[in-house]
């Protein structure tokens, strides 16, 4: 697939979920580098810069995207020849994709260890990392059930219940506003992440913070399944994670909205869950408390050369 096509599919959410966005972006950069004619190091670097810009402009919230782009293009401007720069892009893209896949397996093992036989797990949206733990626990022979939310307005919950159903996992499907009502039936909450800030706050699909609040009230543990490349080193320098706001028409059809001139529809698609409502963040490097976010960034992400302004 061409780079422009990948960028378009990320924008229109045919490619979605922070991990998948990152892996597809890395593959797109690698394949794009392959299609560029040999025209010298400077031309190659400028083409790759433009490619990175195009990908980064697609969706603003998932930091897996800039982290993946950064890891794939890391050090290429210091290359001495065009061949060396090309080699770096390919090696680093392949390495990122492989380590992202390995990370999911490790996260699944840690999450599954926390899921005991007979438990009911509540999840939100469609997170590959969160689902990996649930699926592995089932493969290990544990009898578990899941409560899955609808996830308005895009209904990513449909993808989640389809996967759970395919694995014959008993699942209760609820509307987003029923989360507090059903929290008493859950033993554990597992969600994914689009970004983890240096304070240990987690940015994930809108509604996650309400679920965490309801879990806190009901004294249920909240696990966030997040590969280390979901941590956002730019928050060390005071930058905020931009919360994507998508078109109002995703929430209310234009023909109805037109009849309601005093009504403004808002559609932020992610929210921020403060660290105090999260028990553990499960990364491939282990399950850590949110307070360890800085250490994860320091040990797993090269952030010294990131934009500090
Ligand atoms: C997806 C979403 C997911 C995270 C983690 O939002 O919020 O929980 O991206 O997913 P959207 P994963 O559908 O708007 O992209 O664990 O698969 O990386």
């Amino acid at each position: 697939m061409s780079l422009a096509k990948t960028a378009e599919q990320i924008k229109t959410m045919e490619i979605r979920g922070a991990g998948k966005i990152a892996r597809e972006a890395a593959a797109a950069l690698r394949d794009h580098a392959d299609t560029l004619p040999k025209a010298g190091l400077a031309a190659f670097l400028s083409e790759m810069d433009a490619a990175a810009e195009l990908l980064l402009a697609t969706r603003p919230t998932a930091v897996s995207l800039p982290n993946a782009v950064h890891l794939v293009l890391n050090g290429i401007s210091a290359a001495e020849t065009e061949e060396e720069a090309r080699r770096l892009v390919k090696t680093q893209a392949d390495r990122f994709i492989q380590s992202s896949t390995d990370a999911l397996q490790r996260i699944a093992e840690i999450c599954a260890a926390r899921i005991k036989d007979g438990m009911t797990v509540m999840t939100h949206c469609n997170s590959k990392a969160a689902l990996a733990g649930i699926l592995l626990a089932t493969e290990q022979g544990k009898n578990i059930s899941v409560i899955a939310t609808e996830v308005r307005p895009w209904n990513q919950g449909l993808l989640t219940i389809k996967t759970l159903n395919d694995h014959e996992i008993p699942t209760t499907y609820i509307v987003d506003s029923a989360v507090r009502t059903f929290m008493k039936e859950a033993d554990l909450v597992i969600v994914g992440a689009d970004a983890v800030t240096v304070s240990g706050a987690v940015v994930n699909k809108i509604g996650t913070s309400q679920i965490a609040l309801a879990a806190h009230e009901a004294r249920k543990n909240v696990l966030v399944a997040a590969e280390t490349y979901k941590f956002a080193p730019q928050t060390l320098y005071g930058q905020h994670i931009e919360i994507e706001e998508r078109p109002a028409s995703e929430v209310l059809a234009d023909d109805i909205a037109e009849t309601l001139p005093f009504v403004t529809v808002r559609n932020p698609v992610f929210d921020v869950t403060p660290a105090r409502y999260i028990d553990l963040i499960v990364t491939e490097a282990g399950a850590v408390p949110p307070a360890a976010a800085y250490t994860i960034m320091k040990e797993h992400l090269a952030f010294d050369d990131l934009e500090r302004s």
Side-chain angles (χ1 to χ4, degrees):
M1 188 170 19
S2 72
L3 183 105
K5 181 94 184 139
T6 301
E8 186 55 26
Q9 291 198 349
I10 295 174
K11 208 177 195 141
T12 57
M13 291 175 60
E14 276 163 81
I15 296 171
R16 50 147 300 282
K20 181 143 199 241
I21 289 173
R23 285 185 293 277
E24 296 277 347
L29 285 172
R30 178 197 59 201
D31 298 346
H32 184 65
D34 239 10
T35 64
L36 292 174
K38 293 207 169 57
L41 180 60
F44 179 72
L45 293 180
S46 131
E47 289 285 355
M48 292 311 290
D49 254 6
E53 288 305 315
L54 187 69
L55 288 169
L56 293 174
T58 53
R59 292 189 77 189
T61 303
V63 296
S64 52
L65 176 58
N67 280 346
V69 168
H70 187 74
L71 288 166
V72 171
L73 302 185
N74 194 25
I76 65 166
S77 53
E80 284 177 3
T81 63
E82 183 183 359
E83 286 64 39
E84 187 191 341
R86 284 176 179 273
R87 231 183 356 259
L88 265 179
V89 170
K90 178 168 173 24
T91 318
Q92 292 178 162
D94 287 342
R95 190 186 305 144
F96 174 78
I97 294 165
Q98 187 58 52
S99 66
S100 164
T101 311
D102 295 345
L104 273 180
Q105 178 58 29
R106 187 69 197 117
I107 288 170
E109 287 162 7
I110 299 171
C111 286
R114 302 281 307 200
I115 303 174
K116 306 289 174 222
D117 193 37
M119 271 190 168
T120 297
V121 180
M122 184 180 282
T123 191
H124 182 54
C125 196
N126 179 250
S127 156
K128 211 158 188 265
L131 272 175
I134 294 170
L135 299 186
L136 184 60
T138 307
E139 276 167 36
Q140 291 169 344
K142 293 173 191 165
N143 249 323
I144 63 168
S145 57
V146 176
I147 301 172
T149 48
E150 184 180 29
V151 196
R152 279 271 292 150
W154 266 75
N155 298 334
Q156 285 93 332
L158 284 176
L159 301 170
T160 297
I161 60 170
K162 169 93 176 57
T163 300
L164 293 167
N165 187 69
D166 288 349
H167 287 80
E168 302 180 3
I169 299 174
T171 299
T172 305
Y173 185 50
I174 60 172
V175 297
D176 303 313
S177 43
V179 155
R180 187 164 175 261
T181 298
F182 281 87
M183 190 55 78
K184 55 182 164 309
E185 294 181 22
D187 299 296
L188 181 66
V189 173
I190 308 184
V191 293
D194 282 82
V196 181
T197 74
V198 71
S199 73
V202 168
V203 181
N204 190 48
K205 180 54 56 192
I206 190 90
T208 302
S209 65
Q210 289 174 170
I211 295 177
L213 204 56
H216 183 75
E217 178 194 41
R219 295 170 184 263
K220 307 291 167 78
N221 282 340
V222 175
L223 302 191
V224 175
E227 302 89 318
T228 51
Y229 60 82
K230 311 258 178 84
F231 286 65
Q234 61 271 44
T235 58
L236 270 167
Y237 306 115
Q239 284 184 32
H240 286 279
I241 302 294
E242 184 183 337
I243 301 291
E244 177 181 9
E245 182 143 357
R246 294 188 64 89
S249 57
E250 292 181 353
V251 176
L252 191 66
D254 284 342
D255 56 340
I256 300 175
E258 276 162 19
T259 65
L260 306 167
F262 293 98
V263 175
T264 303
V265 178
R266 298 288 309 274
N267 187 19
V269 296
F270 298 100
D271 68 15
V272 182
T273 302
R276 64 182 175 280
Y277 299 124
I278 296 159
D279 293 284
L280 282 176
I281 303 179
V282 181
T283 76
E284 70 275 22
V288 297
Y294 172 73
T295 312
I296 292 284
M297 288 174 194
K298 201 160 147 38
E299 289 179 1
H300 296 274
L301 297 163
F303 50 75
D304 281 346
D305 52 345
L306 282 183
E307 195 60 55
R308 290 173 193 227
S309 59

